[in-house]
Amino acid sequence: MAQTTRALQKTKPGPGAELVEVELPEVGPRDALIKVDVAGICGSDVPTYHWMPTAVSKVAARGLKFPFSFGHEFAGTVQEVGRDVQTVKPGDRVAGETHGPCGNCFPCNTGHRHICANMKLIGSGYPGIFSDYTVLPEICTVKLPDSMTSQQGAVLEPLGVAVHSITEADVSGKPVVILGVGPIGLFAVAAAKHLGATQIFGTARSQEKLDMAMAMGADATFNPLKVDVVAAVKEATGGIGAGAVIDMTGDPEAILQGLRMLRSRGRLVMVAQLKGALPAEVSVPLCRAEVQLTGIWGRRMYDTWLLVEHLVTSNKVDVAKVIGNS
Amino acid sequence: MAQTTRALQKTKPGPGAELVEVELPEVGPRDALIKVDVAGICGSDVPTYHWMPTAVSKVAARGLKFPFSFGHEFAGTVQEVGRDVQTVKPGDRVAGETHGPCGNCFPCNTGHRHICANMKLIGSGYPGIFSDYTVLPEICTVKLPDSMTSQQGAVLEPLGVAVHSITEADVSGKPVVILGVGPIGLFAVAAAKHLGATQIFGTARSQEKLDMAMAMGADATFNPLKVDVVAAVKEATGGIGAGAVIDMTGDPEAILQGLRMLRSRGRLVMVAQLKGALPAEVSVPLCRAEVQLTGIWGRRMYDTWLLVEHLVTSNKVDVAKVIGNS
Amino acid sequence: MAQTTRALQKTKPGPGAELVEVELPEVGPRDALIKVDVAGICGSDVPTYHWMPTAVSKVAARGLKFPFSFGHEFAGTVQEVGRDVQTVKPGDRVAGETHGPCGNCFPCNTGHRHICANMKLIGSGYPGIFSDYTVLPEICTVKLPDSMTSQQGAVLEPLGVAVHSITEADVSGKPVVILGVGPIGLFAVAAAKHLGATQIFGTARSQEKLDMAMAMGADATFNPLKVDVVAAVKEATGGIGAGAVIDMTGDPEAILQGLRMLRSRGRLVMVAQLKGALPAEVSVPLCRAEVQLTGIWGRRMYDTWLLVEHLVTSNKVDVAKVIGNS
Amino acid sequence: MAQTTRALQKTKPGPGAELVEVELPEVGPRDALIKVDVAGICGSDVPTYHWMPTAVSKVAARGLKFPFSFGHEFAGTVQEVGRDVQTVKPGDRVAGETHGPCGNCFPCNTGHRHICANMKLIGSGYPGIFSDYTVLPEICTVKLPDSMTSQQGAVLEPLGVAVHSITEADVSGKPVVILGVGPIGLFAVAAAKHLGATQIFGTARSQEKLDMAMAMGADATFNPLKVDVVAAVKEATGGIGAGAVIDMTGDPEAILQGLRMLRSRGRLVMVAQLKGALPAEVSVPLCRAEVQLTGIWGRRMYDTWLLVEHLVTSNKVDVAKVIGNS
């Protein structure tokens, strides 16, 4: 088996990355050695490559030392497994779950290991996957069905973020608004449609994104630079408002609007971290209409994975539409 | 029957109020004429009397014209009822529910009339109750059991706010923190104890309030001026954090701390409106630990009333302790 | 305004009914006088007409005296309204909600008036609607949007039963099985599809019904006389089982099977009353897999109505397919 | 370390058991060797010893071969751990969790490993613990806090069943009825009190058990041989009914009564398997009042364990009262 691999590494602070030959870690009893077949470039990989401020601070926060490899969205083929591995075997094609939970903390012990308190991530606790081969714990691998291509498989991780946001928002039978229809937002539009939202609205500042949202199944879209989105959503919902809002923007003003466009007892789910302080006015819808504000992290392990596999293999969500265009 | 009544009115902008004789409105088919036996002074009545800025802006927002009467917490005795009234009759002692829902809007039509979109309030849509007699719709009256004093009855409305915050926070089997143990916070301490919280912590900046919280059943209290409350709660909960936090302060920094002291998937319920912007850092616990931020308004009609009646008549919550001391 | 009307009445025990001229009740302050435009024949009207045992015992249980009129599914046009009516006015087209809640009991006071403890029904507490005109309380009328035909409107009541069963089963993101695809079951197939079920399976003993289920959107159907439905559902769901099962049959054996085909923590919702005792074996899936068994009654007022209106006006559920064929 | 141990074994069909010296299994990488300090005798151990029909059929169903050891409630001290064990170490005192989940099935993968589809049990998949030493997987051990005695520790497993039933019934703010106040039922009375039930009622056919229920905190008790329990509960709850019922009897008639004594939307949780068929009449409360019937299995891993540890160490539940008397 492979003992070294090419890997794309940040070898020092600053823009760029180097392709170097590195040793692979030993395959432990619960690990798998995987050949990377398809890698995805996450929105967070770009700042790492260009060494933008958000990446610099994240790398510092995680205590990463140079050199380090990066990348975490992928599909690959299992080459070798450790003695205690049960769910995958050599020859299996797998997708990567970025998150490696500890198994013993409070969230792990109460059914929420996707928000493990001691989480290790591919790209920090484990090596990044911009490489020919990688070694990961079994729990970071999800076997792909035969009917799924590896390119589709490499997209399940970000699609899972979108699907998790939709399941957390409880959209069935309700109008839903997706604030910010970038790639994850477009996936959310499609997921909302197939998980039972009655109406789906998307917002973005670019007409191109709005057009793609319509192509993914939105009923209407709004450009917040041009229309009052709160008023538009209220009007489109018979004056009642949306039952759920998903925020992909992190923009405090968008979130204030999102809370205001919710009907009573509705829920806003944040996917992106906030870019600034939330105006005090958020407490009006939170208290007066008893709406809820929450967020999500990654994907549920493995409720969400079961669902993304269904949505892709049943052709309900066409990931190619988003991959090819955004 | 009485056709006029003494009423305490704001007759013009500025501090103070006048006791004047006014005509009572006609008793409509779904109304009750009530003799006010005991009135409570809400935290919001004081600024109205002294004409403090919060009162000035609230009066403006509600479009109130001078003269207007105020006061909304009370217990009284029904004197006369309209033709279609079904739940109370002359001679019944009643408590007042401040909120008069329309019955036809989305929240009213989906089981949440306490957050009616067209709510009329005692003191704005209906006359305030600082008067000898008042006329209110049947839906703003709740019959008191014989075993309850009218003084207790007059406190059910604010006690209901506390109980509603606790039921919304889903405290059973969980440690809970009450941020700000003023009168409503003290009620919340007692309610949390009897609704199944495993541990109850209170915070305040005054030792007197902290002492009262202990007297109401808190397990420990923390003064945020003296200790790191997040660390203290984490330590007292075996490193896990609280399952629920109730905020009575409206202080953005306290709420950031409240979100940080929650265990994964925990819930923070706001009772007070925010006094300033929420720091961007709130999105870390919201997303990373998937905690929830929500608020409440008034009391559920009438789930909460059933519960407050039980808590008072069973002597689980001793309202006299709070009334006499705060 | 009309003071008498033709009405189809049961004038004595036995098969048949008579068309007689009867006086209309007075239009009370909260009532509406309605011209019946389209009436539906419910599955329960047929036994009443033919005086079958189920009808005899139901009439006895409700204490109905001869003569009485029957029928409860309809759409009509408001002619006149009482003084306190707020939601409909003369000229409005309305559908009928069979259930008239009291407004003051525990379920009414806690957001569940559709299961009012003192419910009056069209056809027993109120006159049946097989007549030219009828007088009903405002709460039994639901205004139809202009885009909906009266024929569609007359079907909202039974469609609402199906939709309520689906919302109660929480189908979003889950495979669902409809046991018994008669008219309500067919509606449930369509509702499940648009409320986010991932896969929809139907069962019936007639090929014609199974074919219609496919036409309404089922992914597969099973005839319990020919296949082991539990095994078939398990296989079709990757060995996991269904997330929800809706029973329209009342057949104890079907319900035992339904509980067995559920995945862990799944839910079975009964729409029909049981025709016999449930085998003791039901406690195995109830305890071992912690599945839930519950039932529904009518439609939520008015959560369900909002949803059926959307499903019909958006052409997601084509009621004509079911009306014309069952 | 010990390589053999005395163990109480069923060596052949028939009453009795033999104390024999047996070899201990090897301590695998995720196993712990434990000295048994205190063993509990579960209600299910007695039929095994006496070889009563329920035991005979259970042993057959589980495919057990003679000789086999039995017993599963215990506290012990860890002697040795395998290489990959993380949560316990030699010298730790532990309680035993009877259930060993697989970690890879649908319930395990969706946060419900306590109802694992491939569960191995102490006493069938793993050796019984009526022995001096035992070897168990780490996941079947729960570290005891210093403040808890081993005798208390040995009772956490059955106490956990009671607590799980109460958390599943969602009792906070509601009257609750415990049908059958044997040992688990008595624990349920105490748990309900501390998890927020407003009133607690117990039923049994023996006055001694009813007296113990009062001693554990019940508000009232009823002997179904002497009073109409449905009527008694309705009267004690102001005509509304209980919010939750827990059944420990498996008696179909008791469960029918339990469903009838629930208020609308209430929940009945079965702990015991049914002893016979459920009457068809159960569908009346299930449909008409939309109550729910469900069951539980074991204890949640490890939500329930966190709660039982709190209830015992805080002296809220005095297990000695039940151990000494039942």
Side-chain angles (χ1 to χ4, degrees):
Chain A
M1 288 293 165
Q3 296 191 320
T4 63
T5 184
R6 287 188 306 165
L8 193 65
Q9 291 199 318
K10 297 292 291 189
T11 55
K12 55 180 188 294
E18 273 182 73
L19 200 54
V20 295
E21 192 76 16
V22 298
E23 266 188 63
L24 278 163
E26 195 191 353
V27 179
R30 314 195 74 201
D31 292 339
L33 169 66
I34 299 159
K35 181 175 173 301
V36 177
D37 296 322
V38 179
I41 298 174
C42 172
S44 69
D45 292 325
V46 179
T48 302
Y49 183 85
H50 292 301
W51 207 236
M52 292 154 72
T54 56
V56 176
S57 57
K58 190 183 285 184
V59 164
R62 292 182 178 167
L64 284 172
K65 306 287 180 215
F66 294 95
F68 64 87
S69 51
F70 63 118
H72 58 272
E73 299 176 2
F74 78 100
T77 308
V78 175
Q79 308 294 308
E80 184 187 327
V81 298
R83 164 187 66 221
D84 297 336
V85 167
Q86 297 183 303
T87 58
V88 294
K89 59 180 192 308
D92 285 350
R93 287 182 313 122
V94 296
E97 162 55 69
T98 306
H99 295 153
C102 76
N104 297 317
C105 64
F106 175 77
C108 281
N109 271 335
T110 55
H112 304 290
R113 55 188 162 178
H114 69 293
I115 46 172
C116 168
N118 311 306
M119 189 84 81
K120 292 171 81 172
L121 303 180
I122 299 181
S124 54
Y126 309 118
I129 55 73
F130 289 154
S131 56
D132 291 325
Y133 292 89
T134 193
V135 173
L136 288 171
E138 174 185 16
I139 205 165
C140 290
T141 63
V142 180
K143 191 176 183 312
L144 295 180
D146 291 343
S147 61
M148 198 185 284
T149 66
S150 293
Q151 188 165 32
Q152 288 174 321
V155 183
L156 296 187
E157 200 264 20
L159 173 58
V161 172
V163 168
H164 182 192
S165 73
I166 294 295
T167 54
E168 197 68 20
D170 191 18
V171 303
S172 178
K174 298 171 190 163
V176 60
V177 183
I178 315 295
L179 301 174
V181 284
I184 305 281
L186 291 171
F187 283 142
V189 167
K193 185 159 201 72
H194 292 285
L195 293 171
T198 52
Q199 297 171 282
I200 301 162
F201 307 108
T203 72
R205 298 179 178 199
S206 103
Q207 188 58 41
E208 189 185 7
K209 284 184 180 171
L210 297 178
D211 291 345
M212 284 193 61
M214 294 301 287
M216 293 302 281
D219 293 282
T221 59
F222 308 112
N223 182 334
L225 300 177
K226 297 185 181 171
V227 301
D228 175 340
V229 181
V230 177
V233 168
K234 289 265 181 178
E235 190 190 341
T237 55
I240 290 175
V245 172
I246 318 289
D247 180 71
M248 308 292 179
T249 70
D251 173 7
E253 191 57 34
I255 288 170
L256 173 59
Q257 290 177 11
L259 293 168
R260 285 175 169 166
M261 70 184 67
L262 281 170
R263 68 194 202 187
S264 57
R265 308 279 302 177
R267 175 177 275 210
L268 189 151
V269 176
M270 295 166 60
V271 177
Q273 294 288 321
L274 278 168
K275 291 176 182 158
L278 279 180
E281 289 79 4
V282 295
S283 64
V284 178
L286 284 166
C287 290
R288 183 61 183 78
E290 295 189 352
V291 304
Q292 301 163 49
L293 175 64
T294 187
I296 56 125
W297 184 253
R299 299 139 301 279
R300 288 190 59 81
M301 296 164 71
Y302 294 99
D303 315 48
T304 310
W305 283 95
L306 284 167
L307 212 39
V308 292
E309 182 184 316
H310 166 78
L311 292 171
V312 172
T313 59
S314 65
N315 298 314
K316 289 179 179 170
V317 175
D318 180 355
V319 297
K321 269 195 201 162
V322 174
I323 300 169
N325 285 286
S326 60
Chain B
M1 287 292 164
Q3 296 192 321
T4 64
T5 182
R6 288 188 306 166
L8 194 65
Q9 290 199 322
K10 297 292 292 187
T11 53
K12 56 180 189 296
E18 272 182 75
L19 200 54
V20 294
E21 193 77 13
V22 298
E23 265 188 62
L24 278 164
E26 194 191 353
V27 179
R30 314 196 74 202
D31 292 338
L33 169 66
I34 299 160
K35 179 175 173 299
V36 177
D37 296 322
V38 180
I41 298 174
C42 173
S44 69
D45 291 325
V46 179
T48 301
Y49 183 84
H50 292 299
W51 207 235
M52 292 155 69
T54 55
V56 176
S57 57
K58 190 183 287 184
V59 164
R62 292 184 177 164
L64 284 172
K65 307 286 180 216
F66 294 95
F68 64 88
S69 51
F70 62 118
H72 58 273
E73 299 177 1
F74 79 100
T77 307
V78 175
Q79 308 294 308
E80 183 186 329
V81 297
R83 165 188 65 221
D84 295 336
V85 168
Q86 296 183 305
T87 59
V88 294
K89 59 181 192 308
D92 285 350
R93 287 182 314 121
V94 296
E97 161 57 69
T98 306
H99 295 155
C102 76
N104 296 318
C105 65
F106 176 78
C108 282
N109 270 335
T110 55
H112 304 289
R113 54 186 162 179
H114 68 293
I115 45 172
C116 167
N118 310 307
M119 187 85 81
K120 291 171 81 171
L121 303 180
I122 300 181
S124 54
Y126 309 118
I129 57 72
F130 289 154
S131 56
D132 291 325
Y133 292 89
T134 192
V135 173
L136 288 172
E138 173 183 18
I139 205 165
C140 290
T141 64
V142 180
K143 191 176 183 310
L144 295 178
D146 292 343
S147 61
M148 197 185 285
T149 67
S150 293
Q151 187 164 34
Q152 289 174 321
V155 183
L156 296 187
E157 200 263 20
L159 173 57
V161 172
V163 169
H164 182 192
S165 74
I166 294 296
T167 54
E168 196 68 20
D170 191 19
V171 303
S172 178
K174 299 172 190 162
V176 61
V177 183
I178 315 296
L179 300 175
V181 284
I184 304 279
L186 291 171
F187 283 142
V189 167
K193 186 160 202 71
H194 292 285
L195 293 172
T198 53
Q199 296 172 284
I200 300 161
F201 307 108
T203 72
R205 297 178 179 200
S206 103
Q207 189 57 42
E208 190 185 4
K209 284 185 180 171
L210 296 178
D211 291 346
M212 284 193 62
M214 293 302 287
M216 293 302 281
D219 293 282
T221 58
F222 307 112
N223 182 333
L225 300 176
K226 297 185 181 172
V227 301
D228 175 340
V229 181
V230 177
V233 168
K234 289 266 179 176
E235 191 189 341
T237 55
I240 289 173
V245 172
I246 317 290
D247 180 70
M248 308 292 180
T249 69
D251 173 7
E253 191 57 34
I255 288 170
L256 173 59
Q257 290 177 13
L259 293 168
R260 284 175 169 166
M261 69 183 67
L262 281 170
R263 67 194 202 187
S264 57
R265 309 280 301 177
R267 176 176 272 211
L268 190 151
V269 176
M270 296 167 59
V271 176
Q273 295 288 321
L274 278 167
K275 292 174 182 158
L278 279 180
E281 289 79 4
V282 296
S283 65
V284 178
L286 285 166
C287 289
R288 182 60 183 78
E290 295 189 353
V291 305
Q292 300 163 50
L293 175 64
T294 188
I296 56 123
W297 183 255
R299 301 139 299 280
R300 287 189 60 81
M301 297 165 69
Y302 294 98
D303 315 48
T304 309
W305 283 94
L306 284 166
L307 212 37
V308 293
E309 181 183 317
H310 166 78
L311 291 172
V312 172
T313 58
S314 65
N315 298 314
K316 289 178 179 170
V317 174
D318 180 355
V319 297
K321 268 195 201 164
V322 173
I323 300 170
N325 285 286
S326 59
Chain C
M1 285 294 166
Q3 296 191 322
T4 64
T5 183
R6 287 188 307 164
L8 192 67
Q9 291 199 322
K10 297 291 291 187
T11 53
K12 56 179 188 297
E18 273 182 74
L19 201 55
V20 295
E21 192 77 14
V22 298
E23 265 188 62
L24 279 163
E26 195 191 353
V27 179
R30 314 195 75 202
D31 293 337
L33 169 66
I34 299 160
K35 179 175 174 300
V36 177
D37 296 321
V38 180
I41 298 174
C42 173
S44 69
D45 291 325
V46 178
T48 301
Y49 183 85
H50 292 301
W51 207 236
M52 292 156 70
T54 55
V56 176
S57 56
K58 190 182 284 182
V59 163
R62 291 183 177 165
L64 285 173
K65 307 286 180 217
F66 294 95
F68 64 88
S69 50
F70 63 118
H72 57 273
E73 299 177 0
F74 78 100
T77 308
V78 175
Q79 308 295 308
E80 183 187 329
V81 298
R83 162 189 68 220
D84 295 336
V85 167
Q86 296 184 303
T87 58
V88 293
K89 59 179 192 309
D92 284 350
R93 286 182 313 122
V94 296
E97 163 55 69
T98 306
H99 295 153
C102 76
N104 297 318
C105 64
F106 176 77
C108 281
N109 270 335
T110 55
H112 304 290
R113 54 187 163 177
H114 69 293
I115 46 172
C116 168
N118 311 306
M119 188 84 80
K120 292 171 81 171
L121 303 180
I122 299 181
S124 55
Y126 308 118
I129 56 72
F130 289 153
S131 56
D132 291 327
Y133 291 90
T134 192
V135 173
L136 289 172
E138 172 184 19
I139 205 164
C140 290
T141 63
V142 180
K143 190 176 182 314
L144 294 179
D146 292 342
S147 61
M148 197 184 286
T149 68
S150 293
Q151 187 165 33
Q152 289 174 321
V155 184
L156 296 187
E157 200 263 21
L159 173 59
V161 172
V163 168
H164 181 192
S165 74
I166 293 295
T167 54
E168 197 68 19
D170 191 20
V171 303
S172 177
K174 299 171 189 162
V176 61
V177 184
I178 315 295
L179 301 175
V181 284
I184 305 280
L186 291 171
F187 283 143
V189 167
K193 188 160 199 73
H194 291 286
L195 293 171
T198 52
Q199 296 171 283
I200 301 161
F201 307 108
T203 72
R205 297 177 179 201
S206 103
Q207 188 58 41
E208 189 186 6
K209 284 183 180 170
L210 297 178
D211 291 345
M212 284 193 62
M214 294 301 289
M216 293 301 281
D219 293 282
T221 58
F222 307 113
N223 182 332
L225 300 177
K226 298 187 181 170
V227 301
D228 175 340
V229 181
V230 177
V233 168
K234 289 266 179 177
E235 191 190 339
T237 55
I240 289 173
V245 172
I246 318 289
D247 180 69
M248 308 291 180
T249 70
D251 173 7
E253 191 57 32
I255 288 170
L256 173 59
Q257 290 177 13
L259 293 168
R260 285 175 169 165
M261 70 184 66
L262 281 170
R263 67 193 203 188
S264 57
R265 309 277 305 174
R267 174 176 275 210
L268 189 152
V269 176
M270 296 166 58
V271 176
Q273 294 288 320
L274 278 168
K275 292 174 182 159
L278 278 180
E281 289 79 5
V282 295
S283 63
V284 178
L286 284 166
C287 289
R288 183 60 181 81
E290 295 188 352
V291 304
Q292 301 164 48
L293 176 64
T294 189
I296 56 125
W297 183 254
R299 301 138 301 279
R300 288 189 61 82
M301 297 165 69
Y302 295 101
D303 314 49
T304 310
W305 283 95
L306 283 166
L307 213 38
V308 292
E309 180 183 317
H310 166 78
L311 291 171
V312 172
T313 58
S314 65
N315 297 315
K316 290 179 178 171
V317 175
D318 180 355
V319 297
K321 270 196 202 164
V322 174
I323 300 170
N325 284 287
S326 62
Chain D
M1 286 295 163
Q3 295 191 322
T4 65
T5 184
R6 287 188 306 166
L8 193 66
Q9 289 199 322
K10 297 292 290 187
T11 54
K12 54 179 188 297
E18 273 182 73
L19 201 54
V20 296
E21 192 77 14
V22 299
E23 264 188 65
L24 278 164
E26 195 191 352
V27 179
R30 314 195 73 201
D31 292 338
L33 169 67
I34 299 160
K35 182 177 172 300
V36 177
D37 296 323
V38 180
I41 298 175
C42 172
S44 69
D45 291 326
V46 179
T48 302
Y49 183 82
H50 292 300
W51 208 234
M52 292 156 71
T54 55
V56 176
S57 57
K58 190 182 285 182
V59 164
R62 291 181 178 166
L64 284 172
K65 306 286 179 214
F66 294 95
F68 64 86
S69 51
F70 62 117
H72 59 271
E73 299 177 359
F74 78 99
T77 308
V78 175
Q79 307 294 308
E80 185 187 327
V81 297
R83 167 187 64 222
D84 295 337
V85 167
Q86 296 183 303
T87 59
V88 294
K89 60 179 191 308
D92 284 350
R93 287 182 313 122
V94 296
E97 162 56 69
T98 305
H99 294 154
C102 75
N104 297 318
C105 65
F106 176 76
C108 282
N109 270 336
T110 55
H112 304 289
R113 54 187 162 178
H114 70 291
I115 45 171
C116 168
N118 311 306
M119 188 84 81
K120 292 170 80 172
L121 303 180
I122 299 181
S124 55
Y126 309 119
I129 57 71
F130 289 153
S131 57
D132 292 326
Y133 292 89
T134 193
V135 173
L136 288 172
E138 174 185 18
I139 204 165
C140 290
T141 64
V142 180
K143 191 176 183 312
L144 295 179
D146 291 343
S147 60
M148 197 185 284
T149 67
S150 292
Q151 189 165 30
Q152 289 175 320
V155 184
L156 296 187
E157 199 263 22
L159 174 58
V161 172
V163 169
H164 182 191
S165 73
I166 293 296
T167 52
E168 197 68 20
D170 191 20
V171 303
S172 178
K174 300 172 189 161
V176 61
V177 184
I178 315 295
L179 300 175
V181 284
I184 305 280
L186 291 171
F187 283 143
V189 167
K193 188 162 199 71
H194 292 286
L195 293 172
T198 51
Q199 297 170 283
I200 300 161
F201 307 109
T203 72
R205 297 177 179 201
S206 105
Q207 188 58 41
E208 190 185 6
K209 283 184 181 171
L210 297 178
D211 291 345
M212 285 193 61
M214 294 300 288
M216 293 301 281
D219 292 282
T221 58
F222 307 112
N223 183 334
L225 300 176
K226 299 186 181 170
V227 301
D228 174 340
V229 181
V230 177
V233 169
K234 289 266 181 178
E235 190 190 340
T237 55
I240 289 173
V245 173
I246 318 288
D247 180 70
M248 308 292 180
T249 70
D251 174 7
E253 191 57 33
I255 288 169
L256 173 58
Q257 290 177 12
L259 293 168
R260 285 175 169 166
M261 70 184 65
L262 282 170
R263 68 194 202 186
S264 57
R265 309 277 304 175
R267 175 176 274 210
L268 190 151
V269 176
M270 297 166 60
V271 177
Q273 294 288 321
L274 278 168
K275 292 174 182 160
L278 279 180
E281 289 80 4
V282 295
S283 63
V284 177
L286 284 166
C287 290
R288 182 61 182 79
E290 295 188 353
V291 305
Q292 300 164 49
L293 175 64
T294 187
I296 57 124
W297 183 254
R299 301 139 300 280
R300 288 189 60 82
M301 298 165 69
Y302 295 99
D303 315 47
T304 310
W305 283 95
L306 284 167
L307 212 39
V308 293
E309 182 183 316
H310 167 78
L311 292 171
V312 172
T313 58
S314 64
N315 298 315
K316 289 179 179 171
V317 175
D318 180 355
V319 297
K321 269 195 201 164
V322 173
I323 300 171
N325 285 288
S326 61

